[in-house]
Amino acid sequence: MRTVRRPRRGRRWPALPLLAALLTGCGIRATQVPTDFGPAPSRVPCSLAGPDTAAQQGVPVQVFLLCGSSLVTVDRTVRVPEGTPDARRRVMVAQGLLDQLAATPSAAERSAGYSTRVPGGLTVSGPAPHDPEDTLRLGTTPARLSAPALAQLVCTLSDSAATEGDGSVILGGPAPSPLSRYECTDDVRNRPGTAAPPASEVPEGTA
């Protein structure tokens, strides 16, 4: 009588080290312990809780700072005495905005990625004779500012109580330098370092 031999079931443990070696060779470390790398970073670049402007004395305003490759608004305040005539008020608001733009961002703002290219010491005055009444003359010609600084200035001033609020601002250097109307466009806000604010010359005697 023939004895039927059943095939032996060999142990397959040796395949496990081979599999582990293959995984290691592929850059994957074999492990039976779950790996927890912690939660994703919670800080969102260019996201910042604005200051409590209601608790600060002054006129609430917004300035455009650089963050990443674009311009982002940040809340500020500027001080204007009560009863200041409108023409003088416009210049005081404009000067306050320039000062805020030139100020070093706070530690929280720097941590969130905010910066500014506007140099300190910039001054602004109202229209010279024969200038349009909404003219703002800087202590330096706008062409001498860097592209990001000019973009910050144009977008901040054109969206403020210092101008007509139509998305543009008439700027010039000290009189009698020529004037130009600058516009703050989406392209300027998105690419302040490379997209110059569109400008059109303002003819003399258009006051």
Side-chain angles (χ1 to χ4, degrees):
M1 177 174 162
R2 177 179 295 181
T3 302
V4 179
R5 295 182 179 181
R6 296 181 179 180
R8 299 178 63 185
R9 298 180 179 178
R11 296 182 179 180
R12 298 186 181 185
W13 292 349
L16 294 178
L18 178 59
L19 178 60
L22 290 175
L23 292 175
T24 303
C26 295
I28 304 174
R29 178 175 294 178
T31 177
Q32 295 180 347
V33 180
T35 303
D36 183 9
F37 292 100
S42 59
R43 179 176 295 279
V44 179
C46 304
S47 178
L48 185 71
D52 184 7
T53 54
Q56 302 180 21
Q57 295 182 352
V59 178
V61 295
Q62 287 188 323
V63 298
F64 281 85
L65 297 183
L66 296 165
C67 196
S69 59
S70 61
L71 294 179
V72 183
T73 56
V74 176
D75 293 329
R76 292 284 193 269
T77 59
V78 297
R79 293 189 177 185
V80 179
E82 291 289 340
T84 302
D86 289 344
R88 179 59 181 160
R89 180 185 179 88
R90 288 180 55 254
V91 175
M92 293 187 70
V93 170
Q95 184 63 62
L97 291 171
L98 263 62
D99 294 342
Q100 291 291 340
L101 285 171
T104 302
S106 67
E109 290 168 347
R110 294 195 304 272
S111 179
Y114 290 83
S115 63
T116 184
R117 297 291 183 84
V118 177
L122 277 180
T123 59
V124 62
S125 60
H130 308 297
D131 286 347
E133 63 178 8
D134 56 344
T135 297
L136 294 173
R137 285 192 173 273
L138 304 176
T140 185
T141 56
R144 298 188 64 179
L145 298 173
S146 67
L150 182 59
Q152 285 183 260
L153 276 178
V154 169
C155 288
T156 297
L157 292 173
S158 65
D159 191 35
S160 73
T163 59
E164 297 296 328
D166 61 353
S168 68
V169 57
I170 298 178
L171 291 178
S177 61
L179 300 173
S180 294
R181 182 180 292 275
Y182 295 88
E183 297 181 40
C184 177
T185 63
D186 290 339
D187 202 25
V188 173
R189 286 189 289 267
N190 293 331
R191 299 188 300 114
T194 57
S200 56
E201 184 177 352
V202 177
E204 296 182 4
T206 57

mmCIF file of all heavy atoms in Angstrom, residues 59 61 86 89-90 93-94 97 156-157 159-165:
data_model
loop_
_atom_site.group_PDB
_atom_site.id
_atom_site.type_symbol
_atom_site.label_atom_id
_atom_site.label_comp_id
_atom_site.label_asym_id
_atom_site.label_seq_id
_atom_site.Cartn_x
_atom_site.Cartn_y
_atom_site.Cartn_z
ATOM 1 N N VAL A 59 -8.192 108.600 13.621
ATOM 2 C CA VAL A 59 -9.058 108.240 12.510
ATOM 3 C C VAL A 59 -8.656 106.849 12.011
ATOM 4 O O VAL A 59 -7.493 106.630 11.661
ATOM 5 C CB VAL A 59 -8.928 109.266 11.366
ATOM 6 C CG1 VAL A 59 -9.798 108.861 10.183
ATOM 7 C CG2 VAL A 59 -9.280 110.656 11.862
ATOM 8 N N VAL A 61 -7.756 104.023 9.610
ATOM 9 C CA VAL A 61 -7.299 103.990 8.223
ATOM 10 C C VAL A 61 -6.741 102.602 7.937
ATOM 11 O O VAL A 61 -6.596 101.772 8.832
ATOM 12 C CB VAL A 61 -6.214 105.054 7.941
ATOM 13 C CG1 VAL A 61 -6.763 106.458 8.094
ATOM 14 C CG2 VAL A 61 -5.001 104.841 8.847
ATOM 15 N N ASP A 86 -11.066 120.975 5.926
ATOM 16 C CA ASP A 86 -10.966 119.811 5.045
ATOM 17 C C ASP A 86 -9.649 119.745 4.286
ATOM 18 O O ASP A 86 -9.032 118.679 4.169
ATOM 19 C CB ASP A 86 -12.131 119.806 4.052
ATOM 20 C CG ASP A 86 -13.452 119.476 4.725
ATOM 21 O OD1 ASP A 86 -13.418 118.965 5.867
ATOM 22 O OD2 ASP A 86 -14.513 119.731 4.115
ATOM 23 N N ARG A 89 -7.028 118.811 6.620
ATOM 24 C CA ARG A 89 -7.291 117.459 7.095
ATOM 25 C C ARG A 89 -6.761 116.416 6.102
ATOM 26 O O ARG A 89 -6.166 115.415 6.507
ATOM 27 C CB ARG A 89 -8.799 117.285 7.310
ATOM 28 C CG ARG A 89 -9.216 115.900 7.801
ATOM 29 C CD ARG A 89 -10.734 115.806 7.861
ATOM 30 N NE ARG A 89 -11.175 114.503 8.288
ATOM 31 C CZ ARG A 89 -11.347 114.154 9.554
ATOM 32 N NH1 ARG A 89 -11.125 115.031 10.523
ATOM 33 N NH2 ARG A 89 -11.747 112.943 9.872
ATOM 34 N N ARG A 90 -6.977 116.679 4.809
ATOM 35 C CA ARG A 90 -6.492 115.754 3.788
ATOM 36 C C ARG A 90 -4.982 115.570 3.868
ATOM 37 O O ARG A 90 -4.472 114.455 3.791
ATOM 38 C CB ARG A 90 -6.867 116.263 2.392
ATOM 39 C CG ARG A 90 -8.333 116.165 2.050
ATOM 40 C CD ARG A 90 -8.611 116.679 0.647
ATOM 41 N NE ARG A 90 -7.791 116.013 -0.352
ATOM 42 C CZ ARG A 90 -6.756 116.575 -0.955
ATOM 43 N NH1 ARG A 90 -6.402 117.827 -0.685
ATOM 44 N NH2 ARG A 90 -6.062 115.914 -1.846
ATOM 45 N N VAL A 93 -4.009 113.596 7.043
ATOM 46 C CA VAL A 93 -4.264 112.162 6.868
ATOM 47 C C VAL A 93 -3.198 111.540 5.979
ATOM 48 O O VAL A 93 -2.670 110.458 6.269
ATOM 49 C CB VAL A 93 -5.676 111.927 6.279
ATOM 50 C CG1 VAL A 93 -5.853 110.469 5.857
ATOM 51 C CG2 VAL A 93 -6.751 112.307 7.285
ATOM 52 N N ALA A 94 -2.864 112.236 4.883
ATOM 53 C CA ALA A 94 -1.844 111.723 3.968
ATOM 54 C C ALA A 94 -0.495 111.578 4.667
ATOM 55 O O ALA A 94 0.200 110.568 4.494
ATOM 56 C CB ALA A 94 -1.718 112.643 2.757
ATOM 57 N N LEU A 97 -0.547 108.620 6.948
ATOM 58 C CA LEU A 97 -0.429 107.367 6.198
ATOM 59 C C LEU A 97 1.017 107.101 5.792
ATOM 60 O O LEU A 97 1.502 105.965 5.873
ATOM 61 C CB LEU A 97 -1.323 107.423 4.958
ATOM 62 C CG LEU A 97 -2.839 107.400 5.224
ATOM 63 C CD1 LEU A 97 -3.607 107.691 3.947
ATOM 64 C CD2 LEU A 97 -3.267 106.061 5.810
ATOM 65 N N THR A 156 -2.313 102.905 -0.972
ATOM 66 C CA THR A 156 -2.756 103.411 0.325
ATOM 67 C C THR A 156 -3.454 104.756 0.185
ATOM 68 O O THR A 156 -4.545 104.966 0.712
ATOM 69 C CB THR A 156 -1.567 103.527 1.291
ATOM 70 O OG1 THR A 156 -1.017 102.225 1.538
ATOM 71 C CG2 THR A 156 -1.996 104.134 2.616
ATOM 72 N N LEU A 157 -2.829 105.679 -0.531
ATOM 73 C CA LEU A 157 -3.398 107.018 -0.653
ATOM 74 C C LEU A 157 -4.668 107.035 -1.496
ATOM 75 O O LEU A 157 -5.611 107.764 -1.195
ATOM 76 C CB LEU A 157 -2.364 107.970 -1.259
ATOM 77 C CG LEU A 157 -1.142 108.281 -0.380
ATOM 78 C CD1 LEU A 157 -0.113 109.090 -1.171
ATOM 79 C CD2 LEU A 157 -1.553 109.026 0.880
ATOM 80 N N ASP A 159 -6.956 104.965 -1.694
ATOM 81 C CA ASP A 159 -8.097 104.344 -1.016
ATOM 82 C C ASP A 159 -8.299 104.976 0.358
ATOM 83 O O ASP A 159 -8.699 104.304 1.302
ATOM 84 C CB ASP A 159 -7.855 102.833 -0.888
ATOM 85 C CG ASP A 159 -9.091 102.077 -0.441
ATOM 86 O OD1 ASP A 159 -10.198 102.471 -0.846
ATOM 87 O OD2 ASP A 159 -8.964 101.110 0.331
ATOM 88 N N SER A 160 -8.019 106.282 0.468
ATOM 89 C CA SER A 160 -8.068 106.941 1.765
ATOM 90 C C SER A 160 -8.865 108.233 1.715
ATOM 91 O O SER A 160 -9.273 108.693 0.643
ATOM 92 C CB SER A 160 -6.640 107.251 2.246
ATOM 93 O OG SER A 160 -6.090 108.325 1.500
ATOM 94 N N ALA A 161 -9.049 108.824 2.890
ATOM 95 C CA ALA A 161 -9.756 110.104 2.981
ATOM 96 C C ALA A 161 -8.897 111.253 2.467
ATOM 97 O O ALA A 161 -9.374 112.388 2.388
ATOM 98 C CB ALA A 161 -10.151 110.377 4.433
ATOM 99 N N ALA A 162 -7.663 110.975 2.092
ATOM 100 C CA ALA A 162 -6.781 112.024 1.564
ATOM 101 C C ALA A 162 -7.029 112.283 0.092
ATOM 102 O O ALA A 162 -6.496 113.244 -0.468
ATOM 103 C CB ALA A 162 -5.324 111.637 1.779
ATOM 104 N N THR A 163 -7.828 111.438 -0.562
ATOM 105 C CA THR A 163 -8.090 111.592 -1.991
ATOM 106 C C THR A 163 -9.584 111.502 -2.254
ATOM 107 O O THR A 163 -10.396 111.442 -1.330
ATOM 108 C CB THR A 163 -7.345 110.506 -2.796
ATOM 109 O OG1 THR A 163 -7.782 109.219 -2.347
ATOM 110 C CG2 THR A 163 -5.842 110.609 -2.598
ATOM 111 N N GLU A 164 -9.939 111.451 -3.534
ATOM 112 C CA GLU A 164 -11.345 111.409 -3.926
ATOM 113 C C GLU A 164 -11.954 110.023 -3.761
ATOM 114 O O GLU A 164 -13.156 109.843 -3.908
ATOM 115 C CB GLU A 164 -11.490 111.859 -5.385
ATOM 116 C CG GLU A 164 -11.062 113.295 -5.638
ATOM 117 C CD GLU A 164 -11.925 114.290 -4.891
ATOM 118 O OE1 GLU A 164 -13.126 114.012 -4.698
ATOM 119 O OE2 GLU A 164 -11.397 115.337 -4.478
ATOM 120 N N GLY A 165 -11.111 109.016 -3.477
ATOM 121 C CA GLY A 165 -11.622 107.665 -3.271
ATOM 122 C C GLY A 165 -12.054 106.963 -4.541
ATOM 123 O O GLY A 165 -12.898 106.058 -4.496
#
